[in-house]
């Protein structure tokens, strides 16, 4: 089984690691599209052209039989059209884990994601479908965070701290759950946790891995 995985950089590797645990026998091709990072600040047409090109290469050149979009932005904005354009290929997407957070006992939930994801119809629908009575779900766009992580992690974490401070300093700290709605954010969990000490940080990576496994069966 050949599985193609892509993201705008290394964020999607957090997804890839989970899938490898579930399906260790597959062969993987991972595209880290650093050149086009950040996806979250591109218009729909530009983003679709970029991801369609990657998917075409994964299918035609790498012979990928399943495509995993290890990126919330590309999933929320492009997966529908990709499924139409590549009807013979199964796609597994990455969506903000709103359902997981809403099904927990959290009363106050914050979703952090790129502007592209925050303003997507899909996220609006996820909130509408999953929000429970008495539950607050707030959304916060984090422009510049994914690329700051992509280009600074391990080299200059101070830049990431500075960006987080800029984005989060005015935000309430008393959330019970924070959804990491961008795969890059999973790479800096401890840095985000410092702002929300009582919150459970949630990503959907394990669910994606189980979904890939189920497709193979
Ligand atoms: N890691 C991606 C996501 O999950 C994309 C970040 C970006 O390039 O803006 O949304």
């Amino acid at each position: 089984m050949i599985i193609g995985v892509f993201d705008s950089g290394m964020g999607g590797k957090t997804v890839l690691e989970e899938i490898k645990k579930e399906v260790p026998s597959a062969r993987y091709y991972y595209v880290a599209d650093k050149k086009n990072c950040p996806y979250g600040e591109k218009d729909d047409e530009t983003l679709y052209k970029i991801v369609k090109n990657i998917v075409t290469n994964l299918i035609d050149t790498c012979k990928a039989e399943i495509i995993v979009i290890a990126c919330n932005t590309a999933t929320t904005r492009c997966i529908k059209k990709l499924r139409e354009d590549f009807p013979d290929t199964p796609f597994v997407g990455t969506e903000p884990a709103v359902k997981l957070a809403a099904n927990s006992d959290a009363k106050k939930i914050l979703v952090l994601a790129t502007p592209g994801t925050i303003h997507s119809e899909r996220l609006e629908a996820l909130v509408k479908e999953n929000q429970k009575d008495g539950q607050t779900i707030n959304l916060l766009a984090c422009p510049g965070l994914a690329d700051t992580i992509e280009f600074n992690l391990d080299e200059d974490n101070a830049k990431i701290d500075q960006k987080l401070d800029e984005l989060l300093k005015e935000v309430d700290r008393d959330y019970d759950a924070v959804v990491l709605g961008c795969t890059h954010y999973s790479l800096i969990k401890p840095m985000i946790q410092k702002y929300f000490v009582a919150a459970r940080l949630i990503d959907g990576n394990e669910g994606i891995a189980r979904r890939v496994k189920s497709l193979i069966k």
Side-chain angles (χ1 to χ4, degrees):
M1 174 62 60
I2 301 177
I3 301 177
V5 184
F6 74 93
D7 179 37
S8 64
M10 59 191 174
K13 287 201 174 160
T14 59
V15 178
L16 177 65
E17 291 317 312
E18 289 301 327
I19 304 172
K20 277 183 171 171
K21 284 187 211 159
E22 287 286 343
V23 192
S25 57
R27 217 161 93 209
Y28 293 91
Y29 285 91
Y30 183 83
V31 177
D33 186 18
K34 220 179 171 88
K35 193 177 80 175
N36 290 306
C37 181
Y39 281 4
E41 284 152 70
K42 297 205 162 28
D43 63 74
D44 280 353
E45 200 184 325
T46 309
L47 183 59
Y48 192 72
K49 245 187 228 160
I50 292 167
V51 305
K52 188 175 181 188
N53 190 32
I54 293 173
V55 169
T56 303
N57 280 326
L58 283 170
I59 294 173
D60 292 351
T61 313
C62 307
K63 308 293 173 211
E65 297 157 274
I66 294 176
I67 302 287
V68 178
I69 310 174
C71 171
N72 294 263
T73 313
T75 303
T76 52
R77 304 201 80 100
C78 305
I79 197 166
K80 202 162 158 239
K81 195 154 167 30
L82 285 170
R83 286 185 169 135
E84 283 163 20
D85 287 348
F86 300 90
D88 299 330
T89 302
F91 285 87
V92 178
T94 306
E95 291 184 334
V98 173
K99 187 173 180 180
L100 208 59
N103 286 342
S104 73
D105 55 5
K107 288 269 170 284
K108 199 172 166 189
I109 299 167
L110 177 66
V111 181
L112 301 176
T114 66
T117 299
I118 291 293
H119 300 119
S120 66
E121 283 172 16
R122 182 62 192 141
L123 181 57
E124 198 184 329
L126 279 173
V127 172
K128 216 180 256 173
E129 284 161 20
N130 294 293
Q131 189 167 23
K132 308 277 181 304
D133 285 345
Q135 213 167 41
T136 305
I137 303 182
N138 292 329
L139 310 181
L140 181 72
C142 299
L145 183 55
D147 40 315
T148 303
I149 297 168
E150 180 67 32
F151 297 110
N152 292 285
L153 195 66
D154 297 331
E155 282 162 33
D156 191 355
N157 284 352
K159 284 201 177 142
I160 301 172
D161 259 330
Q162 198 182 324
K163 178 55 79 182
L164 280 174
D165 202 48
E166 204 179 281
L167 294 163
L168 301 178
K169 66 171 182 274
E170 306 285 334
V171 172
D172 289 350
R173 303 289 167 96
D174 61 344
Y175 284 96
D176 310 311
V178 174
V179 175
L180 304 178
C182 167
T183 51
H184 279 76
Y185 305 168
S186 297
L187 294 167
I188 58 156
K189 269 187 186 168
M191 293 169 99
I192 295 176
Q193 188 81 66
K194 276 198 272 171
Y195 287 84
F196 306 102
V197 283
R200 187 175 153 218
L201 302 190
I202 300 177
D203 63 36
N205 293 357
E206 286 176 19
I208 297 162
R210 286 196 298 272
R211 172 87 189 113
V212 173
K213 192 177 183 181
S214 76
L215 282 180
I216 289 168
K217 273 184 189 157

